[in-house]
Amino acid sequence: VTDQRPGGTISRRRLDVYGALCTFVACDPDDFRTLVLNQTLSGTITGGDSHDIYYFTGIANQRIVINMNRLNGSVDPYLSVWDPDGNLIAVNNDGGGGVNSRINLLILPRNGSYRIVADSYSSTQTGGYQIAITQGSLTQNPTPFVRLIQPNSATAGSAGFWVPIYGSNFL
């Protein structure tokens, strides 16, 4: 690396961590990028085990909104967010209208680097997408919208039961 500042005279070697990592795993140009607030990036899902990893530096109690929208192809956007300790804290499929994904008003549990994985719901789907992250604002008492409850009936056993509710504006 050569110091490009006026009067700079320092030159040092540079370690290409991305290049080194890509000798062990398959990388493409839209892997391992950093997202910042109010930024939109484009990517491509090519099928199989293809997914794109983004990083976001968050602050404890910060509210964020992440949108992943299909641009072309058959990709069905699917988002997951992992905290700095590697714990899954949010997932979404189809919460952004149509096939698009939206993680809405995620409250970050602590300071640090969060991993956002952009994927397709099915490994056979391919295409382009856009991903964006914005600061979330809390609307007081937003009206929840239930799109689907599946299955539509359940019988409680000794361990209770689980019924997924799909929709939006749940806090």
Side-chain angles (χ1 to χ4, degrees):
V1 178
T2 303
D3 189 348
Q4 299 294 322
R5 295 175 295 180
T9 59
I10 300 173
S11 294
R12 304 257 190 233
R13 291 184 178 176
R14 172 183 265 170
L15 175 62
D16 183 355
V17 176
Y18 179 76
L21 175 65
C22 293
T23 63
F24 296 104
V25 297
C27 297
D28 55 55
D30 53 9
D31 279 339
F32 307 111
R33 294 186 287 172
T34 299
L35 274 169
V36 296
L37 286 176
N38 303 315
Q39 178 184 33
T40 301
L41 295 174
S42 297
T44 303
I45 301 294
T46 57
D49 290 332
S50 175
H51 58 267
D52 296 330
I53 298 173
Y54 297 88
Y55 293 98
F56 174 73
T57 302
I59 301 167
N61 297 314
Q62 182 177 22
R63 297 172 194 261
I64 60 170
V65 176
I66 307 168
N67 288 298
M68 181 180 173
N69 298 325
R70 176 169 65 191
L71 292 177
N72 57 53
S74 62
V75 66
D76 181 0
Y78 184 87
L79 281 170
S80 60
V81 180
W82 304 77
D83 73 10
D85 294 324
N87 301 306
L88 179 64
I89 60 170
V91 295
N92 186 266
N93 179 44
D94 299 342
V99 299
N100 298 319
S101 291
R102 179 181 176 100
I103 293 177
N104 196 23
L105 294 178
L106 175 61
I107 301 171
L108 302 179
R110 65 187 201 104
N111 294 345
S113 181
Y114 288 80
R115 182 169 39 114
I116 301 167
V117 179
D119 209 340
S120 185
Y121 187 72
S122 168
S123 63
T124 60
Q125 298 166 332
T126 62
Y129 67 88
Q130 282 188 327
I131 188 168
I133 189 166
T134 57
Q135 185 75 36
S137 61
L138 181 62
T139 303
Q140 189 171 6
N141 300 321
T143 305
F145 172 76
V146 176
R147 183 174 49 85
L148 174 68
I149 299 176
Q150 188 178 25
N152 57 12
S153 65
T155 303
S158 61
F161 64 94
W162 173 267
V163 177
I165 300 173
Y166 300 92
S168 60
N169 293 334
F170 297 107
L171 297 178

